[in-house]
Amino acid sequence: MTAPDELPNDIAELKAIIRAQQDQNARLEALVTSFKKALFGAKSEKIDPAQYELELEDIETAIALVEAEIDGDERTAPVRSVKPRQTNRGSLPKHLERVEMVIEPERSCACGTERHVIGEDVSERLDIVPAQFRVIVTRRPKYACRSCEGGIVQAPAPAHIIAGGMPTEATLAHVLVSKYADHLPLYRQAQIYSRQGIDLDRSTLAAWVGKSAFELTPVYEALMADLKRSTKLFMDETTAPVLAPDRKKTKTGYFWALARDDRPWNGDDPPGVAFTYAPGRSGQHAENILSGFSGILQVDGYAGYNRLLKRPTQDVKLAYCWAHARRKLHDVTQSGEAPIAQEGLAQIQALYRIEKDLRGLSADQRHTERQERSKPIIDAFALWLAQSRARLSGKSPTGEALKYIAKYWGGLCLFLDDGRIELDNNPVERTIRPIALNRKNALFAGHDAGAQNWAIIASLIETCKLNGIEPHGYLYGTLTAIAGGHKQTDINQLLPWNYAKNV
């Protein structure tokens, strides 16, 4: 702010300064109010997480613009107010390359003596160098003996995924991560490369992706087999628009996600997810995917999963999702006064508060705590559910929501008897979100085979994320190992969690 003794003498100019500052303050206050509302206000059950992040991003950008405008006004003033230094919100990772710049002052003192170092100030700033392209030139000299005819010797050419082709395994990993983790379609990647003077046709990149998917298929199959050896999994599905052959429109296929996440109860198995593309949503697809699996499967209320209960071996139990039950009641409350629905929501919220306390405990401890704390709530909920349904028309919005809960009641209560079961299906739904985002950017898959390639690579990338592994490094290392002749019998060594141990 301008110091009082530095204010202009002209009244009109003074008024202009005050109006500008009042306008800046009003804009900043409005933006802060919007930010708090977006951050802490009630969120719709159906809000797209990407849209929510975008809303926060745009508000934060606008706040920064106004603050920069205010700061710019202060810099032009003869006297500047002292502002507290903004603290760094986190240290920069130690593994990043450090490029040191030493800024030396004038070392000669006015008395003629050279000054000596008594300390220094060190600051670190994040610097980004845009993706650098380089050419790996491999020379293989040929040698011959002058004294005999022993023949010519030459080192063998290193093996590559694209034999005799242009890309290194690091390039292939970059293309895969850009497409399936950063959601950049191949034609956009081709445009980025073109700005660097590298002209690569989209179809060339597609060929690289297809070859990589083929080579990674054994790893994907090992991932799927490892998941199905578990006795507690999640499953969900999402749409996958695919271009119909010989037609100028898309058909609707599905990505089926099979996931494991035992971290909430400190299970020994690492988290993972495997996607499978299928041309439809029939429960037959779920049955095919789950061939060889037995145990507890946590799902939403889709009726197609009921096929699994008809197995002659009766070796699958379905645990249902309280988040879906809650959503049914929540939707009713959004259309007007719904006291019964609100009562149901309050009881479900009580269950979630208990689950928050139990996160990180062992399965046995969770089972014991649920019997003591959650079971009385469930017993009261069952009585309330029966009484409320008797008072309401089954065709009313609240009646329909309660009918849904009653229909799946047995599977909803299964969590009381097994500490490994979660209250909802959210772990697998979170793994599907990147698929949905990539679907928005890519619009559709060009073919059924392309959709399955998508499923293979996305499975490995999302499993890397679940295990805190950097996907590019993993894919680069795995493709290099495969090109070097990694044995099929040791394929499990290339699973993301095992790769992390060997790095």
Side-chain angles (χ1 to χ4, degrees), residues 10 313 426 501:
D10 183 73
T313 53
N426 287 349
K501 296 176 184 177

Side-chain angles (χ1 to χ4, degrees), residues 344-474:
L345 287 175
Q347 295 180 81
I348 295 174
Q349 189 61 35
L351 293 174
Y352 272 94
R353 283 195 295 268
I354 294 172
E355 288 302 305
K356 186 177 180 180
D357 296 338
L358 305 187
R359 187 161 296 275
L361 299 181
S362 69
D364 289 341
Q365 288 173 316
R366 279 157 57 108
H367 174 258
T368 301
E369 290 291 321
R370 285 170 175 174
Q371 288 295 315
E372 293 179 1
R373 300 173 61 184
S374 302
K375 191 174 186 305
I377 296 175
I378 290 294
D379 291 341
F381 195 109
L383 179 60
W384 170 86
L385 181 62
Q387 293 174 343
S388 299
R389 292 190 70 197
R391 292 161 48 195
L392 292 169
S393 167
K395 296 183 179 180
S396 67
T398 304
E400 290 284 354
L402 297 183
K403 179 181 178 181
Y404 175 90
I405 296 174
K407 179 179 179 181
Y408 297 105
W409 184 251
L412 288 170
C413 297
L414 203 58
F415 78 102
L416 292 174
D417 301 321
D418 193 323
R420 300 173 302 164
I421 300 175
E422 289 297 289
L423 209 57
D424 54 43
N425 211 31
N426 287 349
V428 68
E429 290 190 359
R430 285 192 292 269
T431 67
I432 283 180
R433 286 174 187 168
I435 291 284
L437 182 56
N438 208 22
R439 182 177 61 210
K440 288 181 180 179
N441 286 350
L443 300 182
F444 53 83
H447 191 274
D448 285 351
Q452 182 56 26
N453 288 342
W454 186 347
I456 290 169
I457 299 168
S459 298
L460 299 176
I461 287 176
E462 294 307 316
T463 298
C464 280
K465 292 180 183 178
L466 288 172
N467 288 274
I469 298 168
E470 197 278 304
H472 181 276
Y474 165 75

Side-chain angles (χ1 to χ4, degrees), residues 242-251 444 446:
V242 176
L243 191 65
D246 302 322
R247 299 169 65 183
K248 295 184 178 180
K249 60 181 182 179
T250 60
K251 61 180 181 178
F444 53 83

Side-chain angles (χ1 to χ4, degrees), residues 174-361:
H174 179 79
V175 172
L176 296 179
V177 171
S178 296
K179 178 173 173 60
Y180 297 105
D182 300 330
H183 318 298
L184 276 174
L186 295 180
Y187 76 90
R188 292 182 186 171
Q189 293 189 52
Q191 292 170 351
I192 294 172
Y193 301 154
S194 180
R195 291 200 296 268
Q196 296 285 340
I198 301 171
D199 293 324
L200 287 172
D201 190 82
R202 175 195 48 74
S203 61
T204 300
L205 298 179
W208 294 356
V209 171
K211 175 63 173 174
S212 299
F214 170 78
E215 298 292 349
L216 290 169
T217 296
V219 185
Y220 162 80
E221 291 174 345
L223 171 62
M224 178 69 80
D226 189 276
L227 293 179
K228 290 198 292 184
R229 281 192 289 270
S230 303
T231 56
K232 164 64 178 70
L233 293 174
F234 298 89
M235 197 168 197
D236 200 6
E237 75 289 334
T238 188
T239 57
V242 176
L243 191 65
D246 302 322
R247 299 169 65 183
K248 295 184 178 180
K249 60 181 182 179
T250 60
K251 61 180 181 178
T252 300
Y254 284 84
F255 282 120
W256 295 76
L258 189 63
R260 176 179 65 208
D261 193 346
D262 298 344
R263 292 174 295 180
W265 50 275
N266 292 324
D268 294 329
D269 292 331
V273 60
F275 300 102
T276 303
Y277 171 76
R281 200 189 181 198
S282 165
Q284 181 64 52
H285 298 301
E287 189 171 0
N288 293 342
I289 294 168
L290 289 167
S291 175
F293 167 77
S294 62
I296 296 171
L297 187 70
Q298 190 145 16
V299 296
D300 57 22
Y302 172 50
Y305 294 114
N306 292 336
R307 293 180 63 101
L308 300 168
L309 301 177
K310 299 176 182 178
R311 285 181 175 180
T313 53
Q314 296 287 298
D315 56 355
V316 173
K317 291 183 179 180
L318 297 182
Y320 291 113
C321 174
W322 275 100
H324 282 76
R326 180 187 182 279
R327 195 168 301 146
K328 296 290 184 181
L329 294 172
H330 179 273
D331 290 345
V332 174
T333 64
Q334 299 305 294
S335 57
E337 290 293 328
I340 293 180
Q342 290 287 4
E343 291 174 7
L345 287 175
Q347 295 180 81
I348 295 174
Q349 189 61 35
L351 293 174
Y352 272 94
R353 283 195 295 268
I354 294 172
E355 288 302 305
K356 186 177 180 180
D357 296 338
L358 305 187
R359 187 161 296 275
L361 299 181

Side-chain angles (χ1 to χ4, degrees), residues 130-147:
Q132 293 182 338
F133 296 86
R134 62 182 186 178
V135 178
I136 304 298
V137 180
T138 302
R139 300 184 186 278
R140 296 188 297 127
K142 298 178 181 179
Y143 291 88
C145 180
R146 296 180 184 274
S147 302

